[in-house]
Amino acid sequence: MRSLMRWLQSPKRKRVGAFLALSLFAVALLLPLVPVFAVAEDTPAASSDTPKIEKAKDVFYKTEGIVYGPPAPKLKYPDNYGTYGTFQSRTILWMANQQHLYFGSFVLAVPMFVMVVELVGMLQKDKRMSKKYDDLAHEFMKISLTAYSITAILGGLLIFTFLALYPGFFMYLASIFRPVMHVYALMFILESGVLYVYYYGWDKMNDSPFLKWCHLSLSVLLNTVGLVLMFFANTWLAFMQAPAGVDDQGRFLGNIWNAIHTPLVIPIVVHRILGNAAFGGGVVAAYAAYRFLAAKSPEEKAHYDWMSYTAMFMGVLNLIPLPFAGYWLMREVYAYRQQMGITLMGGLLAWVFIMQATMIATLFITLNYYLWTAMGRMPGSERYTRFFKYMLLVLIVATLTWLTPHTLVMTPAELKAMGGAQHPVIGNYGVMSAKNTAINIIITTTVLCFCIYQRANKVPTVKWAWWGNLALGAIFVGAATNVIFLGIYGYFIPANVRIGLSVPQVCSTLTTLFIGVTLNTMILKNARSLGEIRWGQMSTRGAYALFLLAVAFTWTMAVMGYIRSSVRLHWHINEIMRDASPWAFTNPIGYAGNINSLNVLIFWTMLLFVFWLGTLTDKKVHSTVKDTAGEGIEGVSIPVGSH
Amino acid sequence: MDSGLKIAGMTGRRFAQFIHYNKRRRVCIMMKRKTLLMAIFSALLLYPVISWAGTEKYINAGIFALIVEIGMGLSIIFLAWFVKNKLKIHIPKLMQAPIIWGFAFIVFRVILQPPIPFTLLAVYMGIITIAIFLYSSIDEPSWKEFSTPIRIMLQEDTKNAKTSRYIVFAALPLLIGYGTYDKMLPKFEEPVELRTVHPAPPASINLHGKIINLQTEYNPFRGKGADGKEEAGAQYMGKNPFAADAPKYLQNVREGGEIFFGTAGCVFCHGDNLDGRGMFAFAFNPIPANFSDPGTIAQLQETFVLWRVSKGGPGVPRETFPWASAMPPWEKHITQDEMWKVIMFEYWHTGFYPRTWD
């Protein structure tokens, strides 16, 4: 042991050691999966013992398999359903699910940031900065830890709600995912163990570089377990929406992988990971904004100002690819069932999509607004202030287009006055060409705003700055021109070609994001500073904007979850198991909006409690931020990605 | 002496160069501004011409709408610039807000024709209200300028502040009271309807005893191109289907037209321009679908249109109600082949292509 410790003295070997330890953990992680695959492989042998082998066709993969389970039960009300008085069982389950999901996604998202922030801290050469990032990561984790126990409580509540109100459905789902559900529970134990070692061992493992690398490895492990957990939970809902691995009567065909790998699971998982990360960033930013508003000393204000910016930045990093992931998911939904796609986008749920569009526009506009107001604390930003109003104009025009519905709500008299269901002018903005153009312009403007933020207090000193700026301008103008041109061109070509146009539109936007921001960063290399960021001097409007951003995230999640869930219409499991309860109808939009708002309210009430708990334990003095508070102080922090 | 003159000469030359350079630069800047403003101004002059072309349908409705929007944006910028820089009038931020709001209201309520429904107007004006707030608080000086009069009105004890405070506090409850009165007043208007324009189709339909899968079926008269995919028919757009040597595709289109105008009589409701304004159209509420609008058949697959034609109004699923449609179920009157041909004709006539799977 001693010789091993001696061998690990060199930093390089320490990293190798940490990597090996992590790999061992990862292998250990895969062990719970063994029973899953064992079941899958055992199936034919097990069934060969039975006197009669019945084969059936997979409802999605169309492959033949040996029938392994009973058919999906034909449920009856009230036999297979439970009630609590006159309350709608569906609404109770909906709320229990939503609350668990909120907290679950928050506690899975925060460790992702913590991992990045801790790594950034470790890579810092300046020890003071390193400690600053480390403290930040630790503080993020502290908020997450309180939320973790609430998640577990809500998870228990959800299971009991399922068992009490929807026992027939839950038993069937459990009969198919039985082995996976056990793995899920085991993973939860692992997650808890790693989380506690990771959090409580923080200070102890800061002592030596080797232990610090081990600590970071634990963070990687924590995130891996978290992602696997989320993956399992996602497979169940993806199965409900688009089942596979069963025949048309719902009989399990023995291959658990087919039931997991359903047609929509991958896009749902990707969309949810990005969504969770964006949501987690938003909530932590809101926490920091809350502390900023409550802060008494300039040091505290400076710390939370910086923290809110960093969290917001990480959330937004995941927000930007989110619409594209959503687009992919919808494309897959259409490919799976055209009927489902139309119900979502053009039919019954189209107006709920307008709500979602409203929230997305709110997110992007709020984000831009935060950046504009945040530039108030950067000397030299006055050079750009006059452009903000034009950017706002572009954003508002794009939002008006983005929100113009295809299906208008109107009285019959208005319909007659308009001369038909489609308006001759604004009807053009209700279709996909206009929507794609609008959202791409909104995102491009946001990227431009971020580029301005990056250079607000800087003057480029590189020799090629003029050419660089020209190229940067060309990228943005070119992208906007391409997006608008393709948007207009889309009206003149067949729909299948038009769908294809979204790819070059997205590419234009992503070019501004990746090449534009990289070029901007290169131009700003060794740039002359016009003064350091005056952390702590963010306007209160900026702090409220961050709050709005987080609430908008929460509401968007509620509304999107509702849409995804209610697109099954009267099915518990699409085309396999019918919902026989009296609540198998689609809710009126107003009711759905109210329940979503109530969910948001409950979540934020609980979250404010978590935030308050955070203030109780926080007696730490933010020693390093002292330097960053106030005006024009040297050696100040520059958060990730801001330069 | 010479050297003194030389120095004086050089200084003079440099000074002259300096003056010349600066003059040129200023002229350049002024030229640029003038050119830009002239360009905006000329664009605004072209505006009525474009509007006329748009209403007379000489240009595509989509482009027209885009030009309208750009024109509005430019005119707002031009007007703001003119008032601020030429008339030298500084409008306080607090006054700018109602002016912008009023301007937007006029655009959406009066200029945009035919009138848009109230629900959409409310959405638009809501966004404009938020935009005005963001504009007023976009940076610290702007926010200060906007909020200071409000703060003075609420807090200070000067005569003007007091008077305006009394007015505001008297007007607010009155306004709310009027709003409540107006809301509670019995009205005889029909309630708003959230009408589903494209109800979700079933996975398959039974048509004349044959099960048709709407996701896999295709129009048998379309034929397939060299790539094995269904023919979109781009090369036949605008060609004469009555020509003696018309290809098979156009012959089918012609037969579809004969059904549209003759056998089935679709023309009486959907109109000879396929714009939903046939002679019977206004007997229905809502009026029949306008196929020449990019939001109707251009968005749909042919199988969707087949479902709607064959099953008509009575065939829409329950979950898509309210669905008001007087369309008869055409499966009871014409054959499946005739339906396919009439659908082909509708696409050919409007110049749209059906949505296909890629």
Side-chain angles (χ1 to χ4, degrees), chain A residues 331 334-340 342-343 346-348 351 365 369 372-373 385-386 388-390 392-393 396-401 403-429 431-432 484 488 491-496 498-500 539 541 569-570 575 586 589, chain B residues 60-66 69 73 76-77 108 112-120 123-124 127-128 131 133-135 137-140 143 189-203 214-215 232 277 282 284-287 293-296 298-301 303-304 319-321 352-358:
Chain A
R331 206 185 153 96
Y334 265 96
Y336 169 67
R337 289 282 185 279
Q338 176 201 13
Q339 196 181 3
M340 201 178 255
I342 294 181
T343 302
L348 195 60
W351 255 88
I365 293 177
Y369 183 74
W372 294 329
T373 51
T385 314
R386 64 202 163 102
F388 297 167
K389 52 181 177 287
Y390 301 113
L392 177 67
L393 184 68
I396 293 300
V397 170
T399 304
L400 289 173
T401 313
L403 291 188
T404 302
H406 188 216
T407 312
L408 298 169
V409 177
M410 50 193 162
T411 63
E414 286 173 328
L415 182 72
K416 212 158 200 175
M418 218 169 77
Q422 311 289 333
H423 192 280
V425 179
I426 59 150
N428 290 293
Y429 301 135
V431 292
M432 215 57 206
I484 294 171
I488 298 168
Y491 287 92
F492 300 94
I493 51 170
N496 57 334
R498 182 167 61 233
I499 291 169
S539 69
R541 295 191 312 285
L569 303 173
H570 48 269
E575 295 166 11
T586 303
I589 291 167
Chain B
N60 178 277
I63 295 186
F64 170 61
L66 192 76
E69 201 163 82
I76 292 169
I77 296 169
F108 292 131
L112 193 58
Q113 288 296 333
I116 57 171
F118 174 76
T119 51
L120 189 63
V123 170
Y124 281 172
I127 294 169
I128 295 296
F133 172 75
L134 298 181
Y135 166 69
S137 62
I138 211 158
D139 54 47
E140 211 49 49
W143 174 240
E189 285 168 8
E190 292 163 282
V192 289
E193 268 182 24
L194 174 51
R195 193 166 157 271
T196 312
V197 174
H198 299 320
L214 295 187
Q215 201 151 348
R277 281 160 175 72
F282 291 95
F284 304 117
N285 190 4
I287 63 166
D293 188 286
T296 59
Q299 297 290 321
L300 303 167
Q301 285 179 295
T303 50
F304 186 106
E319 62 252 28
T320 55
F321 268 66
F352 292 128
Y353 307 94
R355 168 166 283 184
T356 51
W357 295 106
D358 48 346

Side-chain angles (χ1 to χ4, degrees), chain B residues 218 222-231:
Chain B
Y218 62 92
R222 237 173 223 288
K224 293 198 172 174
D227 55 354
K229 284 187 176 175
E230 234 183 300
E231 211 168 9

Side-chain angles (χ1 to χ4, degrees), chain B residues 160-283:
Chain B
N160 281 347
K162 270 186 180 170
T163 317
S164 45
R165 190 153 64 221
Y166 294 145
I167 292 172
V168 168
F169 284 117
L172 268 181
L174 282 176
L175 266 176
I176 294 166
Y178 174 74
T180 315
Y181 167 76
D182 188 53
K183 190 147 179 69
M184 300 305 286
L185 197 66
K187 290 194 179 77
F188 304 100
E189 285 168 8
E190 292 163 282
V192 289
E193 268 182 24
L194 174 51
R195 193 166 157 271
T196 312
V197 174
H198 299 320
S204 59
I205 53 169
N206 185 337
L207 188 53
H208 299 145
K210 193 184 154 203
I211 300 292
I212 293 181
N213 184 333
L214 295 187
Q215 201 151 348
T216 53
E217 192 70 32
Y218 62 92
N219 190 336
F221 296 102
R222 237 173 223 288
K224 293 198 172 174
D227 55 354
K229 284 187 176 175
E230 234 183 300
E231 211 168 9
Q235 67 271 37
Y236 303 116
M237 295 290 182
K239 296 278 162 58
N240 180 10
F242 293 99
D245 58 344
K248 192 78 194 144
Y249 185 97
L250 283 178
Q251 287 175 25
N252 288 328
V253 165
R254 189 181 65 214
E255 284 171 31
E258 284 163 4
I259 298 159
F260 186 90
F261 287 103
T263 329
C266 317
V267 65
F268 297 116
C269 299
H270 289 287
D272 47 7
N273 280 327
L274 278 68
D275 55 1
R277 281 160 175 72
M279 61 167 79
F280 295 160
F282 291 95

Side-chain angles (χ1 to χ4, degrees), chain A residues 59-60 237-244 258-259 261-265 336 340 568 573-574:
Chain A
V59 76
F60 175 72
L237 66 92
F239 175 82
M240 286 166 68
Q241 194 171 352
N258 280 358
H261 188 231
T262 46
L264 300 178
V265 73
Y336 169 67
M340 201 178 255
R568 292 195 313 270
I573 297 164
N574 196 34

